[in-house]
Amino acid sequence: MTGGNESCTAGPTSMSYLTCLTYILEEWTGVEHIGDYLSYAFYILWLFFPLVVVFVLPGVIVILFYVSILLLHIYKRKNELKEAYSHDVWAGAKEMLATLWDGHGRIWHGYELHGVENIPSGPGLVVFYHGATPVDYIYFSARLHIMKKRNCTVVADNFVFRLPGFKILLDVLGIIHGPKEACVRTLKKGCLLAIAPGGVREALFSDEMYTILWSNRKGFAQVAIDAKVPIIPMFTQNVREGFRTLGGIKILRSLYERIRLPVVPLYGGFPVKLRTFIGEPIPYEPNMTAEELAEKTKAAVQVLIDKHQKIPGNIFRALMERFQTQKKED
């Protein structure tokens, strides 16, 4: 090996570092023309690097979830003695998680929250369009906690409660899977409750056209009527450009309808600009039916999409918006 190093610098002209490394590898492995193999390997790496990146970046969100879970376990261990004496032993943990996720939103997406004044001081049902991931809702919840010291319970799909290790996170954040009676009880306690009527189907199979996929769902409207609370529409700009799915593949749609699990691959994690807009509340009206209220809510969310989202969505444009200033909305 020493002889190889000396030969790299011997003679009137010294070799480049890469040529020298190739020469050493050839002597060490006994493989001739190893430089050609390395060139081919680097070419393959360069060719597939973008593909690897777009499928690996979503893993960052998964890592953040498990970092949150680890922090909760550490917090619980350190505060076991306080549990019997505190009405909310998790108050500090909630503050910690809000800071963690809000920091990620600020740094990676330049996250902004607009229209927070439309959230009532009392109970209310926040209804939002579901992106490929719920990351925009997480940023909203974290920012709301930091700004207003308010927690917002959210309704999640059943599969979320089967994810390994997630129980402590779901318990601390008050995430529920329904049913309707549990949602009404939450609102009658004076809490905020959030729900995406499109659910997993909208997350996986909507696209850059931002089509609302609520079918004929009206259960959320009945919850608002039974609890006698207003509905607050919400939408996040560029949420489909941050993460996208391969939901256009028909066989994946058929597989989802059969097993009802999110089997559609995600890609993205791009640092696009995200802005959440909260619309004016739809007040409780005792004479309005669930069907009418559901249609009125869907129309309100569509208004937010039409006003704040350029259709079709474009990843490059959403990235460039990180460097643009937003004009103040009326």
Side-chain angles (χ1 to χ4, degrees):
M1 184 63 71
T2 304
N5 286 331
E6 289 175 351
S7 65
C8 288
T9 57
T13 307
S14 60
M15 299 181 186
S16 68
Y17 178 78
L18 187 58
T19 305
C20 181
L21 181 61
T22 303
Y23 180 80
I24 293 171
L25 287 173
E26 285 182 355
E27 286 194 342
W28 182 47
T29 62
V31 178
E32 295 183 359
H33 309 295
I34 196 171
D36 294 336
Y37 294 105
L38 290 175
S39 297
Y40 181 71
F42 283 128
Y43 171 74
I44 294 297
L45 181 63
W46 172 82
L47 186 65
F48 288 99
F49 181 74
L51 187 63
V52 172
V53 167
V54 298
F55 283 102
V56 168
L57 277 177
V60 174
I61 298 298
V62 177
I63 292 172
L64 270 179
F65 275 123
Y66 280 100
V67 167
S68 300
I69 291 168
L70 177 62
L71 291 174
L72 287 177
H73 279 293
I74 295 172
Y75 184 90
K76 181 180 181 181
R77 188 66 179 268
K78 293 186 68 175
N79 291 272
E80 284 178 344
L81 294 177
K82 296 180 182 179
E83 190 169 357
Y85 304 98
S86 175
H87 71 283
D88 187 4
V89 69
W90 294 109
K94 292 175 182 177
E95 195 76 30
M96 175 178 62
L97 293 187
T99 302
L100 172 68
W101 282 96
D102 186 64
H104 183 268
R106 286 178 184 273
I107 295 170
W108 196 247
H109 293 289
Y111 180 74
E112 298 175 10
L113 177 59
H114 298 269
V116 70
E117 66 277 1
N118 289 324
I119 296 179
S121 57
L125 182 63
V126 178
V127 177
F128 62 100
Y129 171 86
H130 203 313
T133 71
V135 68
D136 60 312
Y137 169 78
I138 297 172
Y139 296 149
F140 156 75
S141 179
R143 184 68 58 84
L144 181 68
H145 183 87
I146 291 172
M147 292 177 63
K148 300 291 186 179
K149 303 301 178 185
R150 293 198 68 183
N151 297 319
C152 185
T153 302
V154 66
V155 179
D157 192 88
N158 287 331
F159 87 89
V160 175
F161 296 84
R162 299 197 292 269
L163 294 174
F166 266 59
K167 185 178 186 304
I168 188 171
L169 184 66
L170 302 177
D171 290 343
V172 171
L173 299 183
I175 298 172
I176 63 175
H177 60 80
K180 184 180 73 172
E181 293 76 17
C183 295
V184 173
R185 283 197 302 270
T186 299
L187 290 167
K188 285 188 175 181
K189 290 177 182 178
C191 301
L192 284 174
L193 177 68
I195 186 170
V200 176
R201 182 179 285 103
E202 186 171 76
L204 299 180
F205 303 110
S206 188
D207 53 24
E208 64 272 18
M209 300 306 293
Y210 288 83
T211 306
I212 296 175
L213 301 179
W214 292 4
S215 188
N216 294 318
R217 294 183 178 180
K218 56 181 184 295
F220 70 94
Q222 190 61 56
V223 165
I225 291 172
D226 292 346
K228 300 180 180 180
V229 299
I231 287 180
I232 305 103
M234 185 172 78
F235 169 73
T236 299
Q237 182 186 67
N238 296 326
V239 67
R240 281 279 161 191
E241 279 57 72
F243 290 91
R244 287 191 175 177
T245 71
L246 300 179
I249 302 176
K250 291 183 178 180
I251 190 171
L252 294 177
R253 178 68 179 264
S254 300
L255 184 60
Y256 167 77
E257 297 297 347
R258 180 179 295 271
I259 66 175
R260 294 302 175 93
L261 290 174
V263 293
V264 179
L266 286 171
Y267 67 95
F270 306 114
V272 301
K273 185 68 177 182
L274 293 183
R275 298 184 180 96
T276 294
F277 295 93
I278 302 171
E280 294 184 4
I282 302 171
Y284 164 69
E285 295 182 20
N287 296 325
M288 185 178 293
T289 65
E291 291 83 359
E292 293 171 338
L293 183 56
E295 284 300 318
K296 191 170 183 178
T297 305
K298 184 177 181 180
V301 173
Q302 187 64 56
V303 166
L304 292 176
I305 294 173
D306 294 341
K307 183 177 182 181
H308 300 294
Q309 183 64 53
K310 295 179 180 178
I311 304 292
N314 181 280
I315 295 173
F316 179 75
R317 182 178 63 226
L319 286 168
M320 291 300 100
E321 287 178 6
R322 290 293 302 272
F323 309 100
Q324 300 171 2
T325 57
Q326 176 78 356
K327 293 180 180 179
K328 188 175 180 180
E329 301 288 345
D330 293 331

